[in-house]
Amino acid sequence: MRVDSLPLSSTCSECGKRKYCLVDDLIENRTTPGKRIFILNTSVRVDSHIVYQGDKTKSLLFVKSGSVKSVYTDESGDQQITQFYFAGEYIGLITLKHQVHATAAITLENSIICEITLDPIVNEAVRSQPFLSKIHQRLDAEIRRQYHNQLINNQYPAGKRIGMFLLELVERQKLNHNNTALLRLAMSRADIANYLGLTAATVSRMLSMYNVLGLIAASKKNIRINDINALRKFVA
Amino acid sequence: MRVDSLPLSSTCSECGKRKYCLVDDLIENRTTPGKRIFILNTSVRVDSHIVYQGDKTKSLLFVKSGSVKSVYTDESGDQQITQFYFAGEYIGLITLKHQVHATAAITLENSIICEITLDPIVNEAVRSQPFLSKIHQRLDAEIRRQYHNQLINNQYPAGKRIGMFLLELVERQKLNHNNTALLRLAMSRADIANYLGLTAATVSRMLSMYNVLGLIAASKKNIRINDINALRKFVA
DNA sequence: CGTCCCTTTGATTTATGTCAAATTCGGTGG
DNA sequence: CCACCGAATTTGACATAAATCAAAGGGACG
């Protein structure tokens, strides 16, 4: 991670997010309590590159708070947002086993990002089957999500894409120990549009539609899902 | 690989495709010449499942001849072709480091598929840095392709998608030691359409357009790129 | 030789993009 | 704390690319 950011000094043992972090498993087996596993625990400002496309993989990034987008840029400069990452999620899992980051990572809001050294992770993965499974589980989920998005963007109309996008975010928030129907979309409409293969105008229109239907209550960055089952039914 | 198929008995040393196969590196370092590294070397009929979605990863599949599609199926049965694989390419690289195949693999024509045990590959990868790099190179290329396709399908119009698809196939054929402007598209128009997020009718129309423009000569499954630079310029 | 399936081509509809104006929001400085 | 500015968002009118529906043509295979 190369970026102007505030290093926050603390140990993993003291970290509030510890029990949602892979590092937790590593600390349990340590004789030296209070050991720091991470390289950097930093407060990062909105719109900062925390990974550049083409960077060598040397760590895993844990989003402690805030959110991040992954952006692929092609030779002619066109860009594709390939994924959003939220609090409790890891950036770099897909890249973990090969050498370079195929996408950049950019914060969508002021965030706290913890950079975790690869070595102890890999060592523990070799030693402990349950730990390896945890990593696999997260990686598998991300890869499945990737394929599912490809399907959605290729075959479904704009309304369903937005609806499924919202549903996915609620599900992920739940997985990340925030089981509410309240979403905070830190990214711009244009970012959502790029991610879903639409335009900002269409994203706006579809959100308005869901609003009118009473399925959601959207005001700017904040969205409440009024009736998640009705929404599920609507996009099915 | 679980499929009705003809096992072809032979050794890796005798294999004609040996020098394009990762296994070649393994044989060089063996004291026992003629060793078989693969599990199965089989002739597979068109439209056979050689991998099922959800299967545990236990081998790498090398396409010796023919071609294969990767298909992701979601809960409601909708399908997305996520990739095509051609002679000289490996299926399962993305899956290699996690446990289950997120997609099925289905032959697009009669093909010869060699199933390679994971263990010797992994062992050699740990031992030899150059060998590991070879794998990384192929995996990186596939992941980059994946992101690039996402960009193309989300942002480019039908004509460019088809044009870039053809260009990509020519490039890959070149990488696979077949440097010609002649393509054989074993997959149906519907498969191409699904892959590119279009309909079969649109694929057909766009190929006709390129035909009329004289950029390609397409007849059914066979396509000749008449002027690759003109085509590149057209889609840029 | 005939049937069936795939592909091509045509006519029409429609969803979403484009362009532009109006509105709201958030941040800044007085 | 409020007023102002610029940027993002919403909304509207319109254009258009691609989907849909349907028919005709062509190959492969029994």
Side-chain angles (χ1 to χ4, degrees), chain A residues 111-236:
Chain A
S111 303
I112 300 181
I113 307 288
C114 197
E115 183 168 15
I116 303 170
T117 323
L118 232 43
D119 289 338
I121 299 272
V122 171
N123 290 341
E124 180 69 4
V126 170
R127 209 188 58 75
S128 155
Q129 180 56 45
F131 182 73
L132 182 60
S133 287
K134 276 194 186 179
I135 295 179
H136 279 159
Q137 214 176 316
R138 284 175 182 264
L139 179 56
D140 282 355
E142 180 161 353
I143 289 178
R144 234 178 300 115
R145 226 175 26 236
Q146 211 77 275
Y147 289 135
H148 196 235
N149 286 340
Q150 201 182 333
L151 187 145
I152 289 168
N153 291 349
N154 277 351
Q155 340 253 225
Y156 294 168
K160 289 197 179 187
R161 290 189 218 180
I162 300 283
M164 294 177 125
F165 175 67
L166 295 177
L167 285 171
E168 193 207 302
L169 294 196
V170 174
E171 292 300 332
R172 280 165 70 180
Q173 201 163 265
K174 192 171 166 184
L175 282 176
N176 296 323
H177 311 95
N178 177 6
N179 191 1
T180 66
L182 262 45
L183 287 174
R184 175 165 179 78
L185 303 182
M187 70 293 286
S188 70
R189 299 289 190 253
D191 278 347
I192 298 174
N194 176 289
Y195 180 65
L196 295 174
L198 301 168
T199 57
T202 300
V203 170
S204 183
R205 271 184 248 277
M206 292 304 153
L207 287 174
S208 296
M209 178 198 70
Y210 281 118
N211 244 329
V212 171
L213 291 176
L215 292 174
I216 67 172
S219 86
K220 211 73 192 132
K221 307 259 175 210
N222 295 299
I223 294 184
R224 186 182 68 239
I225 313 292
N226 288 328
D227 187 343
I228 195 163
N229 286 321
L231 184 56
R232 280 208 192 91
K233 220 166 141 192
F234 189 89
V235 301

Side-chain angles (χ1 to χ4, degrees), chain A residues 72 74-76 78-82 94 97-100 102-103 133 136-137 139-140 143-144 146-148 150-151 153-156 194-197, chain B residues 72 74-76 78-82 94 97-100 102-103 133 136-137 139-140 143-144 146-148 150-151 153-156 194-197:
Chain A
Y72 169 81
D74 77 1
E75 325 77 49
S76 53
D78 287 321
Q79 297 197 313
Q80 177 62 47
I81 296 176
T82 62
I94 289 188
K97 280 300 151 187
H98 57 128
Q99 52 222 342
V100 285
T103 58
S133 287
H136 279 159
Q137 214 176 316
L139 179 56
D140 282 355
I143 289 178
R144 234 178 300 115
Q146 211 77 275
Y147 289 135
H148 196 235
Q150 201 182 333
L151 187 145
N153 291 349
N154 277 351
Q155 340 253 225
Y156 294 168
N194 176 289
Y195 180 65
L196 295 174
Chain B
Y72 169 81
D74 76 2
E75 324 78 49
S76 54
D78 287 321
Q79 297 197 313
Q80 176 63 47
I81 296 175
T82 61
I94 289 188
K97 279 299 153 187
H98 58 127
Q99 53 220 341
V100 286
T103 58
S133 286
H136 279 159
Q137 215 175 316
L139 179 56
D140 282 356
I143 289 179
R144 234 178 300 114
Q146 211 76 278
Y147 289 136
H148 196 235
Q150 199 182 334
L151 187 145
N153 290 349
N154 276 351
Q155 341 253 218
Y156 295 168
N194 176 288
Y195 180 65
L196 295 175

